[in-house]
Amino acid sequence: MTSTAPHDKIQRLRRASIFASTPDDVLAAVADAVEEVQLAPNQQLFAKGDHGTSMYVIATGLVRVHIGSQTIVELSAGEIVGELAALDPEPRSASVSAIDPSTLYQIEQSTLHSLMAEHPEVVQGIVKELARRLRVTTAPYGFSI
C-alpha cells in the first residue's frame, strides 16, 4: 500500500488535539517517525490484554473500542487510541477494531517520551485529552471532575 505524503501526514497529525499546538517542524519529525497502519473493516488493531507500548492517531476511518461485543466508544479521524499503554506499558484495557477502512499512525513509546521531554505542549495535549475522557466517562455517574 502507498504511504501518505509527508504534508498530508502533518495535517492529519495536527487534527489530533494532543498535537494542536505543536510546531510544524516537530510534526514533520513525528510524521517521519510514525508507522502507517491500514485496517480493513472488522480487522482488529489490538486485543484486550495484549501488551503494547505504542499509541495511534486515527488519520482516516472509524474504529471502535470494545470489550468483547460491547462497544465502549467509536473514534474517528483526529482522535487517539492506545495512549495509556504508551504512557504506562500495562496490558491493553480494551480491544480496538476498525468499523470502516482506516489508516492509523503508530507512535512508539520512545518517540512519545522524546516528544514529551522536548515539547511541553505535547504533554499538555495528552493531559487535556485524558482529562476530557475522564469527564466523559464519569459524567453518567454524576461525578464532576
Side-chain angles (χ1 to χ4, degrees):
M1 293 202 166
T2 308
S3 184
T4 305
H7 175 71
D8 291 338
K9 275 188 181 178
I10 292 168
Q11 294 307 315
R12 290 175 177 170
L13 286 167
R14 179 158 313 290
R15 280 190 271 167
S17 62
I18 67 168
F19 295 127
S21 301
T22 305
D24 283 346
D25 61 324
V26 175
L27 283 182
V30 174
D32 287 341
V34 300
E35 182 177 328
E36 198 168 283
V37 178
Q38 302 286 333
L39 295 177
N42 299 314
Q43 185 176 357
Q44 192 171 75
L45 178 63
F46 54 76
K48 181 180 190 297
D50 285 354
H51 290 277
T53 57
S54 56
M55 63 173 273
Y56 300 84
V57 174
I58 303 166
T60 64
L62 182 67
V63 302
R64 73 184 188 107
V65 178
H66 58 98
I67 297 176
S69 62
Q70 178 69 41
T71 298
I72 311 290
V73 68
E74 293 181 0
L75 301 172
S76 59
E79 297 187 271
I80 60 172
V81 67
E83 69 283 352
L84 291 180
L87 295 169
D88 183 28
E90 292 290 322
R92 302 281 187 180
S93 58
S95 300
V96 173
S97 301
I99 295 173
D100 296 332
S102 300
T103 301
L104 296 91
Y105 299 146
Q106 181 178 9
I107 302 174
E108 291 296 333
Q109 182 182 50
S110 59
T111 301
L112 183 61
H113 283 182
S114 294
L115 280 170
M116 293 188 319
E118 297 171 20
H119 302 282
E121 64 273 10
V122 174
V123 175
Q124 292 168 345
I126 290 172
V127 169
K128 284 176 77 172
E129 178 61 20
L130 292 174
R132 183 192 70 78
R133 289 187 182 184
L134 185 58
R135 282 188 193 96
V136 167
T137 302
T138 59
Y141 304 102
F143 295 112
S144 178
I145 295 175

